[in-house]
Amino acid sequence: AVRGGRAKMAAGGAADAQARFGHSVKGLLTEKVTSCGTDVIALTKQVLKGSRSAELLGQAARNMVMQEDAILHSEDSLRKMAIITTHLQYQ
């Protein structure tokens, strides 16, 4: 009878240890899933920030081209004014 009681206790203890191990594994998996989710969110934010940076760089390049055109036009106008000034000085 003592043996049967010990066997039941051992089986109960093993089942208890197995349940604790299962909960421990579930806890670790939950932690890992949460960690991976956080990493994916951070990666997504970084990718979006990178695409936004590329968009801003493109906009800056377009603005520079527009400024360059304005500068070239101003330079041309100044050259023409210099010629007109020279002609007026002769008169």
Side-chain angles (χ1 to χ4, degrees):
V2 173
R3 271 189 175 196
R6 281 188 187 167
K8 283 183 185 177
M9 283 177 56
D16 207 26
Q18 193 173 8
R20 282 196 307 267
F21 178 74
H23 286 300
S24 171
V25 168
K26 283 181 187 175
L28 288 172
L29 282 174
T30 302
E31 262 181 56
K32 282 291 184 189
V33 167
T34 303
S35 173
C36 285
T38 304
D39 291 346
V40 166
I41 290 170
L43 177 63
T44 303
K45 285 181 181 177
Q46 195 64 37
V47 167
L48 289 173
K49 191 187 290 186
S51 68
R52 180 78 177 128
S53 294
E55 184 182 325
L56 289 174
L57 278 172
Q59 190 176 4
R62 285 190 296 277
N63 288 344
M64 262 178 77
V65 168
M66 287 172 43
Q67 291 298 321
E68 188 179 15
D69 286 346
I71 289 169
L72 290 173
H73 181 70
S74 298
E75 191 178 31
D76 191 43
S77 295
L78 281 171
R79 221 178 288 117
K80 288 177 183 174
M81 283 192 272
I83 292 170
I84 292 170
T85 305
T86 305
H87 282 301
L88 286 174
Q89 285 174 349
Y90 284 131
Q91 294 177 1

